[in-house]
Amino acid sequence: MYYRPKIVIVDDETRMTSSLKILLGDKGYDIETFQNGRDALNYLETSECNLVLLDVLMPVMNGFEALSFLKDRHPDVPVIIMTGQSTIDSAIRALRSGAYDYLCKPFEYDELVSRVDNALSHRMLRKENNLLSHQMETTEACYQYLLHNSPDIIFTLGPQDKFVFITDKIKSCTDLSSQDLMGREFSSIVHHQDVERALDYFKGVR
């Protein structure tokens, strides 16, 4: 099934929303348009989107107010602020408020498409990273569970055959805990008659 990213455009200028809907729709994006921030937020309460293009000067709820609600309720959705207030202060305010990017009107079509593509790529990469992190955490949790619940004694030897890790299962056959054995040579828990055979075994394994 063909995936079409959903973009929500919020601007009280109907000519602007209509133009952007046609331009971005031709790029393969699924577009929803609104004339004020409140209607857009109501829509997002029940619908998902991948990106919001948000004008600053609007009735009912201005862009910065809408941005505040968006970042509070939908923090994973990137927002590109659009405004005719082409000042450094308004750009800084937008970025500090959580906007992903900032466009000054009038803007070139190629510039808009480039910013939109970048925002969507960034969101996709962040989602993939979050998924990978979750998978790694799950794998680590399973590994730790198996490690500490194994009926076998599991250990790691470092330089000079000293313990750098050993499970607490060692207590089942010695009076020593894993902490007692950290930094000690493995031969310290091997019967003196078996030390040479144990050394030969580990050499063979290595």
Side-chain angles (χ1 to χ4, degrees):
M1 182 176 179
Y2 177 65
Y3 170 67
R4 299 185 66 195
K6 170 68 71 66
I7 299 176
V8 169
I9 301 172
V10 192
D11 196 315
D12 62 323
E13 298 180 23
T14 55
R15 285 185 299 178
M16 173 64 76
T17 55
S18 297
S19 297
L20 293 181
K21 184 171 184 176
I22 294 172
L23 292 172
L24 293 175
D26 288 344
K27 291 288 293 182
Y29 298 122
D30 186 8
I31 309 296
E32 291 288 343
T33 63
F34 299 92
Q35 270 62 60
N36 65 76
R38 184 170 297 170
D39 288 344
L41 290 172
N42 289 338
Y43 169 81
L44 290 172
E45 287 300 312
T46 57
S47 304
E48 294 185 357
C49 83
N50 304 99
L51 174 66
V52 174
L53 298 179
L54 184 62
D55 187 35
V56 170
L57 298 179
M58 295 182 295
V60 184
M61 177 184 288
N62 68 44
F64 289 116
E65 291 171 334
L67 176 61
S68 178
F69 276 96
L70 277 167
K71 301 318 295 180
D72 181 56
R73 300 186 185 185
H74 310 280
D76 62 321
V77 177
V79 178
I80 296 178
I81 288 289
M82 306 181 297
T83 181
Q85 298 177 326
S86 56
T87 66
I88 295 297
D89 289 342
S90 58
I92 292 175
R93 181 183 176 187
L95 297 175
R96 284 181 174 175
S97 298
Y100 172 80
D101 207 344
Y102 182 89
L103 276 170
C104 294
K105 297 178 180 178
F107 42 76
E108 296 293 331
Y109 169 65
D110 289 342
E111 181 184 14
L112 169 68
V113 171
S114 176
R115 303 288 183 92
V116 166
D117 288 344
N118 287 341
L120 291 172
S121 296
H122 178 80
R123 182 175 189 265
M124 182 63 70
L125 181 61
R126 187 170 57 187
K127 288 186 68 175
E128 290 175 351
N129 287 339
N130 289 340
L131 178 60
L132 181 60
S133 296
H134 177 70
Q135 291 174 338
M136 291 178 65
E137 290 172 2
T138 302
T139 300
E140 176 65 16
C142 291
Y143 167 76
Q144 291 295 334
Y145 176 82
L146 293 172
L147 184 67
H148 294 290
N149 289 276
S150 171
D152 300 319
I153 298 170
I154 301 174
F155 61 91
T156 304
L157 298 178
Q160 297 165 344
D161 293 327
K162 294 181 178 180
F163 289 107
V164 294
F165 172 80
I166 189 167
T167 56
D168 286 332
K169 197 68 178 178
I170 189 67
K171 281 187 175 181
S172 64
C173 58
T174 72
D175 293 329
L176 301 172
S177 69
S178 57
Q179 290 301 316
D180 294 331
L181 292 171
M182 287 298 101
R184 290 175 57 174
E185 293 183 14
F186 85 93
S187 58
S188 64
I189 61 171
V190 178
H191 192 278
H192 68 277
Q193 294 181 343
D194 297 323
V195 170
E196 187 174 347
R197 185 169 60 177
L199 285 170
D200 289 339
Y201 171 77
F202 281 117
K203 286 178 181 178
V205 170
R206 288 170 177 167

